[in-house]
Structure formats: structure tokens, C-alpha cells
């Protein structure tokens, strides 16, 4: 299976995949999660061999027959990001550019974050990505991304958030097609 980009991090490996490059199209009757699972199962099979992908009741993915691997998955339209680590939980988010993010910022950012941060469309995608990646790092054990994840710092290539009493360091990767945010 082809991938668009491969990134080595201190925590693991990230693959960025475009589904249509690999012949995948989401059918009208297929849910978002089923489409994601179908693409990821195929990619994991081609990368790791015979593995079984499943999800906890809160939606967090795991590989049934590889408990040594921690996994985080994100997808936005036809772009997918897969983060694998043997060192611990990881989080990843991929977002395509959209004007919708401007309309929903008050749903995921605290008022103090809105006042403190510069909020152009790119930075809004990065903020959303931070909240998503940290949520995935903690395996969905956060009830409110808005209230329980605070963005402390945001630069052009990295960010820092605080959640569950811990500081989380994140990196960003920009392309013309997507914004990628991942935990370090």
C-alpha cells in the first residue's frame, strides 16, 4: 500500500495516507469509522502483517494481537494519519483546510485561549489538532476537550498543552493539503 509521507519521531512512526491513492472510496452507506477501519486494516496488514484492529467502547483504537504497539488514528476526508509507538500512548490529528473551523472555535477553545492566542485559520487548525491529539494520547479518558485540555503555547511548528496535570509537547507539519499535529 502506498503512503504519502512517513515521519520518524522520538515516540514512534507516523504514516500519512491518501485513501484514493490506494483505491479506497467511502460508500454512501459506510460510516466514517467503518471507512477508517477498512483503510487502516489494509494499511496495517501491508505494514505489520496479520494484525487485528479493534476499538475500545470509547472509540480508542488498539491492535488486538500486538499489545506492544500503541496506536493513534486520524482522518479528514481522504487523508489518514496512523501513529504507531512501542514507547507509550501517542496522539495524532490530521485536518484539511476548512472554513468550518472558524464557526466552531468557541466549542473547543476556552475563552482565555481565544483571548490569548492569535486565531488565523492555520492556528485554529493547529489548536483543534492539539485538542484532538491530546485527547487521543489519553485514550479518550477526557470528558471535555474544551475544559480539560488547555493550550499553553503555540508557535509555528510546535505547541504545548496541559491536561490531567501533565504538560504535553506537540509538533505540527503543514502541507498544502493538510495540517498534521502529533504528540512528541
Amino acid at each position: 500500500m502506498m503512503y504519502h509521507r512517513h515521519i520518524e519521531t522520538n515516540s514512534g512512526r507516523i504514516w500519512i495516507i491518501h485513501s484514493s491513492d490506494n483505491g479506497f472510496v467511502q460508500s454512501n452507506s459506510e460510516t466514517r469509522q467503518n471507512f477508517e477501519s477498512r483503510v487502516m486494516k489494509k494499511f496495517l496488514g501491508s505494514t505489520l502483517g496479520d494484525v487485528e484492529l479493534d476499538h475500545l467502547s470509547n472509540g480508542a483504537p488498539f491492535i488486538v494481537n500486538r499489545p506492544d504497539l500503541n496506536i493513534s488514528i486520524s482522518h479528514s476526508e481522504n487523508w489518514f494519519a496512523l501513529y504507531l509507538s512501542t514507547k507509550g500512548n501517542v496522539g495524532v490529528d490530521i485536518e484539511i483546510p476548512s472554513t468550518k473551523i472558524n464557526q466552531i472555535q468557541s466549542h473547543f477553545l476556552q475563552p482565555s485561549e481565544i483571548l490569548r492566542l492569535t486565531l488565523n485559520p492555520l492556528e485554529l487548525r493547529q489548536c483543534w489538532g492539539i485538542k484532538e491529539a491530546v485527547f487521543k494520547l489519553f485514550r479518550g479518558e477526557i470528558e471535555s476537550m474544551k475544559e480539560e485540555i488547555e493550550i499553553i503555547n503555540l508557535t509555528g511548528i510546535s505547541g504545548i498543552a496541559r491536561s490531567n496535570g501533565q504538560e504535553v509537547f506537540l509538533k505540527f507539519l503543514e502541507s498544502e493539503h493538510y495540517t498534521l499535529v502529533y504528540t512528541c
Side-chain angles (χ1 to χ4, degrees), residues 105 109 112-127 154:
Q105 64 180 306
L109 290 174
S112 62
E113 292 169 325
I114 293 172
L115 290 172
R116 190 169 27 86
L117 302 168
T118 306
L119 298 173
N120 64 47
L122 170 61
E123 290 164 326
L124 279 172
R125 282 194 310 278
Q126 291 171 341
C127 288
L154 185 66

Side-chain angles (χ1 to χ4, degrees), residues 117-171:
L117 302 168
T118 306
L119 298 173
N120 64 47
L122 170 61
E123 290 164 326
L124 279 172
R125 282 194 310 278
Q126 291 171 341
C127 288
W128 175 259
I130 287 172
K131 299 269 182 159
E132 283 282 327
V134 171
F135 179 81
K136 293 172 182 180
L137 174 73
F138 288 105
R139 311 280 298 145
E141 297 298 323
I142 293 172
E143 290 184 33
S144 170
M145 289 193 309
K146 178 178 178 176
E147 301 301 326
E148 296 179 53
I149 302 170
E150 179 185 8
I151 299 170
I152 304 299
N153 189 16
L154 185 66
T155 69
I157 59 169
S158 65
I160 303 171
R162 183 179 299 123
S163 186
N164 290 336
Q166 297 179 39
E167 282 193 350
V168 179
F169 296 89
L170 303 106
K171 289 195 177 177

